[in-house]
Coordinates of all heavy atoms in Angstrom, one line a residue:
Q269 N 10.6 120.2 61.7 CA 10.5 119.3 62.9 C 9.9 118.0 62.6 O 10.4 116.9 63.1 CB 9.7 120.0 64.0 CG 10.3 121.3 64.6 CD 9.4 122.1 65.4 OE1 8.2 121.7 65.6 NE2 9.8 123.3 65.9
A270 N 8.8 118.0 61.8 CA 8.2 116.7 61.5 C 9.2 115.9 60.6 O 9.2 114.6 60.7 CB 6.9 116.9 60.7
F271 N 9.9 116.6 59.7 CA 10.9 115.9 58.9 C 11.9 115.2 59.7 O 12.3 114.0 59.4 CB 11.6 116.9 58.0 CG 12.6 116.4 57.0 CD1 12.2 115.8 55.8 CD2 13.9 116.4 57.3 CE1 13.1 115.3 54.9 CE2 14.9 115.9 56.4 CZ 14.5 115.4 55.2
D272 N 12.5 115.8 60.7 CA 13.5 115.2 61.6 C 12.9 114.0 62.4 O 13.5 113.0 62.5 CB 14.0 116.3 62.6 CG 14.8 117.3 61.9 OD1 15.3 117.1 60.8 OD2 15.0 118.4 62.5
R273 N 11.6 114.2 62.9 CA 11.0 113.0 63.6 C 10.8 111.9 62.6 O 10.9 110.7 63.0 CB 9.6 113.5 64.1 CG 9.7 114.5 65.3 CD 8.4 114.6 66.0 NE 7.3 114.9 65.2 CZ 6.9 116.2 64.9 NH1 7.6 117.2 65.5 NH2 5.9 116.4 64.1
W274 N 10.4 112.2 61.4 CA 10.2 111.2 60.4 C 11.4 110.3 60.1 O 11.4 109.1 60.2 CB 9.7 111.9 59.1 CG 9.6 111.0 57.9 CD1 9.1 109.7 57.8 CD2 10.0 111.3 56.5 NE1 9.2 109.3 56.5 CE2 9.7 110.2 55.7 CE3 10.5 112.5 56.0 CZ2 10.0 110.2 54.3 CZ3 10.8 112.5 54.6 CH2 10.6 111.4 53.8
L275 N 12.5 111.0 59.8 CA 13.8 110.3 59.5 C 14.3 109.5 60.7 O 15.0 108.5 60.5 CB 14.8 111.3 58.9 CG 14.5 111.9 57.6 CD1 15.7 112.6 57.0 CD2 14.0 110.8 56.5
A276 N 14.0 110.0 61.9 CA 14.5 109.4 63.1 C 13.7 108.2 63.5 O 14.1 107.3 64.3 CB 14.6 110.4 64.3
A277 N 12.4 108.1 63.0 CA 11.5 107.0 63.4 C 11.9 105.7 62.8 O 12.6 105.6 61.8 CB 10.1 107.4 63.0
E278 N 11.5 104.6 63.5 CA 11.8 103.3 63.0 C 10.9 102.9 61.8 O 9.7 103.1 61.9 CB 11.6 102.3 64.1 CG 11.9 100.8 63.7 CD 11.6 99.9 64.8 OE1 11.3 100.3 65.9 OE2 11.7 98.6 64.6
R279 N 11.5 102.4 60.8 CA 10.7 102.0 59.6 C 9.9 100.7 60.0 O 10.4 99.9 60.8 CB 11.5 101.8 58.4 CG 12.2 103.0 57.8 CD 13.0 102.7 56.6 NE 12.2 102.1 55.5 CZ 11.5 102.8 54.6 NH1 11.6 104.1 54.5 NH2 10.8 102.2 53.7
D280 N 8.8 100.5 59.3 CA 8.0 99.3 59.5 C 7.2 99.0 58.2 O 7.4 99.7 57.2 CB 7.1 99.3 60.7 CG 6.0 100.3 60.7 OD1 5.9 101.0 59.6 OD2 5.2 100.4 61.6
V281 N 6.3 98.1 58.3 CA 5.5 97.7 57.1 C 4.6 98.8 56.6 O 4.1 98.8 55.4 CB 4.7 96.5 57.3 CG1 5.6 95.3 57.6 CG2 3.7 96.7 58.5
M282 N 4.4 99.9 57.4 CA 3.5 101.0 56.9 C 4.4 102.1 56.3 O 3.8 103.1 55.9 CB 2.8 101.6 58.1 CG 1.6 100.7 58.6 SD 0.3 100.6 57.3 CE 0.4 98.8 57.0
S283 N 5.7 101.9 56.3 CA 6.5 102.9 55.7 C 6.5 102.9 54.2 O 6.4 101.8 53.6 CB 8.0 102.7 56.1 OG 8.1 102.7 57.5
D284 N 6.5 104.0 53.5 CA 6.7 104.0 52.1 C 8.0 103.3 51.7 O 8.9 103.3 52.6 CB 6.7 105.5 51.5 CG 5.3 106.1 51.5 OD1 4.3 105.4 51.6 OD2 5.2 107.3 51.3
C285 N 8.1 102.8 50.5 CA 9.3 102.2 50.1 C 10.4 103.2 50.1 O 10.2 104.4 50.1 CB 9.2 101.6 48.7 SG 9.2 102.8 47.3
H286 N 11.7 102.7 50.1 CA 12.8 103.6 50.2 C 12.9 104.6 49.0 O 13.3 105.7 49.2 CB 14.1 102.8 50.2 CG 14.3 102.0 51.5 ND1 14.8 102.7 52.7 CD2 14.1 100.8 51.9 CE1 14.9 101.8 53.7 NE2 14.4 100.6 53.2
A287 N 12.5 104.1 47.8 CA 12.5 105.0 46.7 C 11.5 106.2 46.8 O 11.9 107.3 46.6 CB 12.2 104.2 45.4
C288 N 10.3 105.9 47.3 CA 9.3 107.0 47.5 C 9.8 107.9 48.6 O 9.6 109.1 48.5 CB 8.0 106.4 47.8 SG 7.2 105.6 46.3
S289 N 10.3 107.3 49.6 CA 10.8 108.2 50.8 C 11.9 109.1 50.3 O 12.0 110.3 50.7 CB 11.3 107.3 51.9 OG 10.3 106.5 52.5
R290 N 12.8 108.6 49.4 CA 13.9 109.5 48.9 C 13.3 110.6 48.0 O 13.8 111.7 48.0 CB 14.9 108.6 48.1 CG 15.8 107.8 49.0 CD 16.6 108.7 50.0 NE 17.6 108.0 50.7 CZ 19.0 108.0 50.4 NH1 19.4 108.8 49.4 NH2 19.8 107.3 51.1
N291 N 12.3 110.3 47.3 CA 11.6 111.3 46.5 C 11.1 112.4 47.4 O 11.4 113.6 47.1 CB 10.4 110.7 45.8 CG 9.7 111.7 44.9 OD1 9.9 112.9 44.9 ND2 8.7 111.2 44.1
Q292 N 10.4 112.1 48.5 CA 9.9 113.1 49.3 C 11.0 113.9 50.1 O 11.0 115.1 50.3 CB 8.9 112.5 50.4 CG 8.3 113.6 51.2 CD 7.1 113.0 52.0 OE1 6.6 112.0 51.7 NE2 6.7 113.7 53.1
E293 N 12.1 113.1 50.5 CA 13.2 113.7 51.2 C 13.8 114.8 50.3 O 14.1 115.9 50.7 CB 14.2 112.7 51.6 CG 15.4 113.2 52.4 CD 16.3 112.1 52.8 OE1 15.9 110.9 52.8 OE2 17.5 112.4 53.1
G294 N 14.1 114.4 49.0 CA 14.7 115.4 48.1 C 13.7 116.6 47.8 O 14.2 117.7 47.7
G295 N 12.4 116.3 47.8 CA 11.5 117.4 47.6 C 11.5 118.4 48.7 O 11.3 119.6 48.4
W296 N 11.8 118.0 49.9 CA 11.9 118.9 51.0 C 13.1 119.8 50.9 O 13.0 121.0 51.0 CB 11.9 118.1 52.4 CG 12.2 119.0 53.6 CD1 13.3 118.8 54.4 CD2 11.5 120.1 54.1 NE1 13.3 119.8 55.4 CE2 12.2 120.6 55.2 CE3 10.4 120.8 53.6 CZ2 11.7 121.7 55.9 CZ3 9.9 121.9 54.4 CH2 10.6 122.3 55.5
H297 N 14.2 119.2 50.5 CA 15.4 120.0 50.3 C 15.2 121.0 49.1 O 15.7 122.1 49.2 CB 16.6 119.1 50.0 CG 17.0 118.2 51.2 ND1 17.4 118.8 52.4 CD2 17.2 116.9 51.3 CE1 17.7 117.8 53.2 NE2 17.6 116.6 52.6
L298 N 14.5 120.5 48.1 CA 14.2 121.4 47.0 C 13.3 122.6 47.4 O 13.6 123.7 47.0 CB 13.5 120.6 45.9 CG 13.4 121.4 44.5 CD1 14.7 121.6 43.9 CD2 12.5 120.5 43.6
Q299 N 12.4 122.3 48.3 CA 11.5 123.4 48.8 C 12.3 124.4 49.6 O 12.0 125.6 49.6 CB 10.4 122.8 49.7 CG 9.4 123.8 50.2 CD 8.2 123.2 50.9 OE1 8.1 122.0 51.0 NE2 7.4 124.0 51.5
L300 N 13.4 124.0 50.2 CA 14.3 124.9 51.0 C 15.3 125.6 50.1 O 16.1 126.4 50.6 CB 15.0 124.1 52.1 CG 14.1 123.5 53.2 CD1 15.0 122.7 54.2 CD2 13.3 124.6 53.9
G301 N 15.3 125.2 48.8 CA 16.2 125.9 47.8 C 17.6 125.2 47.8 O 18.6 125.9 47.3
D302 N 17.7 124.0 48.3 CA 19.0 123.3 48.4 C 19.1 122.3 47.3 O 18.8 121.1 47.6 CB 19.2 122.7 49.8 CG 20.7 122.3 50.0 OD1 21.4 122.1 49.1 OD2 21.0 122.1 51.2

């Protein structure tokens, strides 16, 4: 649920860079075995 809210939220200056965000996004999929 938090993952969906995170990706749906508007990015701003407090957002991690796109590269770091992609790292975490991929890590979540990996945790789910995908």
Side-chain angles (χ1 to χ4, degrees):
Q269 293 169 3
F271 181 82
D272 292 340
R273 292 196 302 269
W274 170 43
L275 293 190
E278 180 184 355
R279 293 181 60 91
D280 66 358
V281 295
M282 285 297 116
S283 304
D284 283 348
C285 75
H286 288 281
C288 288
S289 294
R290 284 302 187 103
N291 180 350
Q292 186 169 341
E293 185 178 340
W296 171 238
H297 293 305
L298 190 64
Q299 186 174 352
L300 296 178
D302 192 340

